[in-house]
Amino acid sequence: MVTEQIPYGAALMAGGLLVSLLPRPWSGLAAIGLPLGALLAWAGRGALPEITESYAGYSLVLQRADALAFPFVLVFTLTLIIGGLYAYHLRDRVERGAALLYGGAAIFTVLAGDWLTFYAGWEIMGWSSLYLIWAARDEASARAGQRYLLVHLFSGSLLLAGIWVQLLETGSLLITPLAASQPGSWPILLAFAINAAVPPLHPWLPDAYPRATVTGSVFLSAFTTKTAVYALARVFAGWDMLIWVGIVMAVYGVVYALIANEMRQLLAYHIVSQVGFMVAAIGLGGELATSGAVAHAFAHVLYKGLLFMAAGAVVYAVGTGKLTELGGWAGPLRWVLVCYLVGAVSISGVPPFSGFVSKSLVT
């Protein structure tokens, strides 16, 4: 069938463009219905087909759905559905469409089996996510978005340089695990490290996420860093240096989270810490450690998204997310408090919540 030759992520990206053009309330319904329909079609089919093409004499794999990619594709799709419900109230159709385009690009990247397709998804992620920051429409978000753009342009340039070196060395664009002896591996690793928010390359994350819209920060928390985690697991699993990088991330992120005075900035720093767990597990290599990293990424997308939704609800209702200016809202926002506590105990590794399972696999 013709539809089987359209990559899953590309279909969602096209849906994002459509959503930005539809009038309300159709755009809101489409933002929920399109990823839900894609998920149901995937479930009915049973598997995503491999899609291959050739370009300029090179073999391209536009879609490769294996065991490593599957959990990321599933949790990214679920995020688009749940996030679409959370953002249903939006009047800004373009923001809603940008979120779907961003998530579709993340899925497109994860399913890519060649570097050219991967790079295209990587770049679309950067540009579409930028709008979620600028959509706040104030001076702070404008400046944060400019810094975010510069960082991700640099990340994309490093990735392209590494791909070029790899192509010259191997004559192939297919994505395979890289060794330290391959010169192209280092700029690619640095590009992944930027998007994974590895210190000292991390400031873009706590700078931009708290300044995005309350709905945009939910999507931002899910896609960019987890796509980088997937990429590290795909290409750099077993690199010993990643163990120490992950440990530094875990400690650094939680220290700065403790001294943050803004709810979403606290959560943003905690992303750095939690991604550190995943990076360290990827550095350990092996089936169990890699499975732990993937499981923790899956769980983290869900509970961190819930935490950002709860924090966004507080900001929306109260007008501020500064912890020193909050107090006495547990009664009026009791259901928000319940949701926040669910996310908090999960991220703390309390049994039987998801964080307990995934952290147990990692540690």
Side-chain angles (χ1 to χ4, degrees):
M1 295 176 62
V2 175
T3 54
E4 292 184 351
Q5 295 304 308
I6 300 176
Y8 185 86
L12 290 172
M13 287 193 287
L17 298 176
L18 176 64
V19 163
S20 66
L21 298 174
L22 290 174
R24 293 185 71 238
W26 300 110
S27 63
L29 293 172
I32 302 166
L34 288 172
L36 178 60
L39 181 61
L40 293 175
W42 174 19
R45 187 184 299 130
L48 293 174
E50 182 171 306
I51 302 174
T52 59
E53 296 288 346
S54 60
Y55 175 74
Y58 297 104
S59 296
L60 304 181
V61 182
L62 305 184
Q63 181 166 278
R64 176 184 59 186
D66 59 10
L68 180 58
F70 170 81
F72 290 92
V73 176
L74 177 59
V75 77
F76 287 174
T77 306
L78 291 174
T79 299
L80 287 173
I81 297 168
I82 298 169
L85 286 167
Y86 184 72
Y88 182 75
H89 69 282
L90 286 179
R91 294 183 177 275
D92 189 343
R93 298 171 301 171
V94 179
E95 181 185 347
R96 189 181 285 120
L100 184 53
L101 177 62
Y102 176 33
I107 292 171
F108 186 76
T109 305
V110 165
L111 290 173
D114 69 90
W115 286 114
L116 185 60
T117 304
F118 184 95
Y119 176 74
W122 190 268
E123 287 295 286
I124 295 171
M125 280 176 55
W127 286 98
S128 55
S129 59
L130 175 63
Y131 187 84
L132 302 179
I133 303 166
W134 278 345
R137 293 182 173 85
D138 55 37
E139 185 177 353
S141 64
R143 293 187 176 183
Q146 290 173 356
R147 294 188 290 269
Y148 180 93
L149 175 61
L150 290 174
V151 169
H152 286 281
L153 284 175
F154 181 56
S155 170
S157 299
L158 285 170
L159 177 60
L160 184 59
I163 292 170
W164 181 251
V165 172
Q166 280 297 113
L167 179 60
L168 292 176
E169 182 182 11
T170 65
S172 172
L173 285 170
L174 298 180
I175 297 175
T176 57
L178 298 178
S181 59
Q182 296 176 273
S185 63
W186 294 102
I188 292 174
L189 177 61
L190 188 56
F192 292 172
I194 291 173
N195 277 32
V198 173
L201 308 172
H202 71 290
W204 62 269
L205 194 156
D207 176 42
Y209 286 16
R211 294 178 174 86
T213 63
V214 295
T215 52
S217 60
V218 174
F219 296 103
L220 288 167
S221 72
F223 298 132
T224 298
T225 53
K226 306 321 172 298
T227 303
V229 167
Y230 162 82
L232 288 169
R234 173 68 69 185
V235 180
F236 296 105
W239 278 44
D240 291 342
M241 65 177 294
L242 293 180
I243 300 173
W244 300 106
V245 168
I247 292 171
V248 170
M249 290 182 71
V251 175
Y252 181 95
V254 78
V255 168
Y256 275 85
L258 286 172
I259 61 177
N261 188 39
E262 206 280 337
M263 292 182 69
R264 292 190 295 167
Q265 188 177 61
L266 182 157
L267 295 175
Y269 273 117
H270 214 275
I271 290 176
V272 177
S273 176
Q274 296 296 295
V275 171
F277 280 85
M278 306 169 206
V279 172
I282 291 168
L284 289 171
E287 185 175 347
L288 181 60
T290 302
S291 297
V294 173
H296 196 46
F298 190 100
H300 185 263
V301 169
L302 296 177
Y303 62 64
K304 186 64 74 173
L306 178 61
L307 288 167
F308 266 100
M309 287 180 185
V314 172
V315 172
Y316 186 82
V318 181
T320 181
K322 290 186 177 180
L323 298 175
T324 52
E325 297 179 11
L326 295 175
W329 291 95
L333 300 175
R334 62 176 63 87
W335 288 110
V336 175
L337 174 62
V338 169
C339 291
Y340 197 90
L341 287 176
V342 170
V345 295
S346 184
I347 202 172
S348 302
V350 176
F353 293 89
S354 60
F356 169 75
V357 178
S358 61
K359 287 186 175 181
S360 297
L361 286 173
V362 171
T363 56

